[in-house]
Amino acid sequence: MKKIISLMSCCAFMLSACGKKPDSEVTPPDGKLDKCTLRFSWWGGDDRHEATLKAIELWNKQHPEIKIIPEYGGWDGWSEKLSTQISGGTAPDIMQINYDWLITLSGDGKGFYDLNALSGQLDLSGYEDEILDFGRIGGSLNAVTVSMSGRGFFYNSKVYDSLGADYPTTWDELIALGKKFSEKGQYPLDLDIQSGCTAWYLAVVYVQQQTGKQFITMDGELGFTQQDIQSALEFYKLLEDNHVIRTIKTRTDEDGNAALYQSPEFIDGSVAGVLEWGSAVGKYEDVLGDGVLESGPFLSQDGSEADGWMIKPSLLYAVSSSTKYPDEAAAFMNFLLNDSECAEILGTTRGIPASEYAADRLSETGQLKGLSYENAYMLDGLDVTTISPYMELARMKDFYNTAIEKVSYNTADTETAAKEMYDSVNAYLESIKK
C-alpha cells in the first residue's frame, strides 16, 4: 500500500476583510501570521461538506486571529462560478481546484500564487516530487495535489444479492447482466450525466484496452483515430441496447436534473451500480446506508489484467494570486494537508491523502478503510494511465457529451458522431496550444 498512499496519498460568496490594510496593499510573504479573515471554497457532497466544516471549526478555535469563512456547494456549475470570481477579482483566498483548471486559469503559471514562495508556512516534505509535479506550471508551483483518484465500479450489494448476481469482471459479463436485471425492471449500472463525461470515460477505457492507445496524450495530442472514437461510441450504444444502463432520455425523464446519487432510482435500487471517483463515492454510500454499497472489480477484456484504467489528481488546493495574506493562506493550506487532527476529521472525504503525514495519521487511527481505500488499493494493482489534463477540459467534455447524446437519441449514427467529435477535438486542441 505504500505506493498507493504516496500516489493517492452554496453558500453565499463573501469578500474577505483582512485587518485595516487598504485594498491596494498586498502583503508579501514574510513568514509572519497577521490577523485577518480568509475565504476557502470547495465543492463536493454532504460528507465532504460536513467534515470540512468541522475542520474549519477546529482551525478557527486554534487560530482565532485568522478566521476562515467557508464557501461550498455541489459540482454542477462550480467551475463557472470560480472562473467568474477569478476574472472579477473576487476569488477566494484558498480554493479547491480541478486538475484541468491549471490549463484554463493559469496557462502561464501566474493564475494562482506561486507556492514556492510560501515554504515558511507550507510544508511539502511529505510529498513525492512526481505528485507535486501535477501542480507545476512552468517554474511555478500553482497548486498541491490533495489525493490521487480513479473511477471505479460500486454496486448495491442488496440488489445484486436479491437477484443472485455476481459483480462482473469482464465487459461481456457486464453486458450479460442487462438481461437478468431487465426482467426485474432494474439496471446493473448507470452513468451519471451530471458529472461531465462519465459515459465517455468508460468507453475510452474499453477502447484503450483494445488498442493500447491513450485517448489524449499528456501534451495534448489526440491519440485516438476517428475509427477508435467510433468504436467507443458503439460500445456505449451497446450498453444502452442491452439494458446495462438507461438511455439519456430515460434518465432525464426519471431523474430530471438530479444527480444520480440523489435520484429515486438509485436510492430505491432500480439502478444498482455506479462508476465514480474513489475520492467522491462517499455521497453514494451515505444515501444507501452503511455496508450496502460495495467495490467491484475493474473490468477487462477477457479476465486478464485490467489495463487502460486511468488516475489523476482528484483535486488540488491553490491560493489566489491576488490574496493579501499569502502566509496566512499557506498556513491554512498546510493545516488541511498535514495536520494530524485535521486529517482525522477529513478522513477519506477527498480520497486517500497524498500527504505522507495525513496518510500516516489515518493509518494509525484505522481510518484507511472503506470504499475510497478499497478503490485505491485495487488501482494500485493495475497498470494505470495518468489522465491528460486536456481530456478534462470543460469544452472537451461538451464534445464528448454531444456525441453521446446524439448516439443515445439516435439523431446521428456512430460514424457521423465520431467524425464530428474527432474534428472538434482536434481543432480545439490545436487552438488552445497556439
Side-chain angles (χ1 to χ4, degrees):
M1 281 304 300
K2 289 184 178 179
K3 184 176 82 172
I4 196 65
I5 289 175
S6 67
L7 285 176
M8 312 220 22
S9 312
C10 217
C11 70
F13 292 110
M14 304 174 66
L15 296 178
S16 60
C18 298
K20 298 181 179 179
K21 299 178 180 180
D23 290 341
S24 60
E25 183 179 350
V26 176
T27 304
D30 58 8
K32 299 177 182 178
L33 298 181
D34 299 322
K35 182 177 181 180
C36 67
T37 298
L38 301 174
R39 297 156 54 216
F40 171 49
S41 73
W42 74 92
W43 74 88
D46 289 343
D47 61 323
R48 183 178 296 172
H49 298 334
E50 292 171 5
T52 308
L53 290 172
K54 289 179 181 178
I56 291 174
E57 182 179 1
L58 174 63
W59 168 273
N60 285 337
K61 287 181 179 179
Q62 293 180 348
H63 303 274
E65 76 283 5
I66 304 173
K67 183 179 180 181
I68 303 297
I69 296 180
E71 301 178 359
Y72 58 95
W75 167 252
D76 191 29
W78 192 260
S79 61
E80 292 82 2
K81 291 177 183 178
L82 186 62
S83 295
T84 299
Q85 288 179 311
I86 290 176
S87 63
T90 62
D93 299 276
I94 312 100
M95 62 198 92
Q96 175 181 297
I97 68 168
N98 221 15
Y99 181 33
D100 61 293
W101 296 355
L102 291 171
I103 295 175
T104 57
L105 299 177
S106 188
D108 60 358
K110 298 179 180 179
F112 299 107
Y113 208 98
D114 184 1
L115 301 177
N116 289 318
L118 302 178
S119 59
Q121 297 297 335
L122 181 59
D123 180 7
L124 299 177
S125 62
Y127 282 83
E128 294 188 357
D129 286 342
E130 62 188 34
I131 299 298
L132 291 177
D133 284 345
F134 287 114
R136 297 189 198 279
I137 299 291
S140 297
L141 180 62
N142 270 198
V144 178
T145 298
V146 178
S147 66
M148 298 292 291
S149 185
R151 281 189 172 107
F153 293 105
F154 303 94
Y155 300 106
N156 186 321
S157 60
K158 289 184 177 180
V159 175
Y160 269 76
D161 288 345
S162 71
L163 296 178
D166 295 324
Y167 302 148
T169 61
T170 68
W171 302 107
D172 287 343
E173 290 176 3
L174 174 64
I175 292 169
L177 283 176
K179 181 178 180 181
K180 188 179 191 71
F181 276 74
S182 68
E183 294 170 354
K184 300 294 184 179
Q186 296 170 304
Y187 293 84
L189 180 71
D190 209 1
L191 306 171
D192 194 349
I193 59 176
Q194 294 290 338
S195 63
C197 58
T198 307
W200 182 243
Y201 179 101
L202 188 62
V204 164
V205 171
Y206 178 80
V207 174
Q208 286 184 163
Q209 287 186 356
Q210 287 188 321
T211 65
K213 301 175 184 177
Q214 186 174 5
F215 172 50
I216 296 178
T217 65
M218 292 299 288
D219 57 357
E221 297 293 332
L222 180 57
F224 275 17
T225 64
Q226 181 178 319
Q227 180 57 55
D228 294 331
I229 293 175
Q230 183 175 342
S231 296
L233 293 173
E234 288 171 349
F235 172 71
Y236 172 81
K237 194 67 169 70
L238 186 68
L239 296 180
E240 284 192 349
D241 292 345
N242 284 272
H243 200 83
V244 177
I245 61 175
R246 293 178 291 175
T247 66
I248 292 179
K249 183 179 187 306
T250 300
R251 289 179 226 156
T252 303
D253 289 347
E254 292 180 346
D255 297 348
N257 292 320
L260 181 56
Y261 76 97
Q262 297 172 319
S263 70
E265 284 66 32
F266 176 76
I267 295 170
D268 68 17
S270 297
V271 169
V274 298
L275 179 70
E276 182 55 275
W277 298 106
S279 58
V281 71
K283 57 182 179 283
Y284 287 91
E285 192 174 17
D286 283 352
V287 299
L288 294 184
D290 292 340
V292 177
L293 206 62
E294 294 182 345
S295 298
F298 286 88
L299 303 187
S300 65
Q301 296 288 333
D302 54 9
S304 58
E305 184 177 353
D307 57 2
W309 289 92
M310 298 177 281
I311 62 170
K312 68 166 187 173
S314 55
L315 45 87
L316 306 94
Y317 290 144
V319 170
S320 170
S321 61
S322 61
T323 184
K324 295 180 176 61
Y325 289 85
D327 280 321
E328 293 75 12
F332 178 67
M333 183 188 292
N334 189 71
F335 169 80
L336 292 173
L337 294 171
N338 298 318
D339 183 84
S340 59
E341 288 186 74
C342 182
E344 287 187 57
I345 293 171
L346 296 177
T348 59
T349 57
R350 286 178 171 83
I352 307 302
S355 163
E356 176 186 341
Y357 304 127
D360 285 350
R361 184 60 176 178
L362 294 188
S363 180
E364 292 168 2
T365 57
Q367 290 178 265
L368 284 185
K369 61 182 180 180
L371 295 182
S372 183
Y373 179 75
E374 291 170 11
N375 175 259
Y377 184 87
M378 289 191 289
L379 279 168
D380 189 43
L382 304 181
D383 184 13
V384 295
T385 299
T386 301
I387 297 176
S388 169
Y390 291 91
M391 182 178 174
E392 297 278 285
L393 295 172
R395 188 72 182 102
M396 297 286 278
K397 293 178 182 180
D398 289 341
F399 299 142
Y400 313 151
N401 289 338
T402 295
I404 291 288
E405 288 174 7
K406 287 184 176 182
V407 169
S408 182
Y409 281 102
N410 294 311
T411 59
D413 58 31
T414 56
E415 181 179 3
T416 301
K419 184 179 188 313
E420 290 177 356
M421 185 198 288
Y422 180 85
D423 291 342
S424 297
V425 168
N426 250 335
Y428 185 65
L429 288 175
E430 289 301 317
S431 70
I432 62 176
K433 290 188 294 181
K434 289 180 179 179

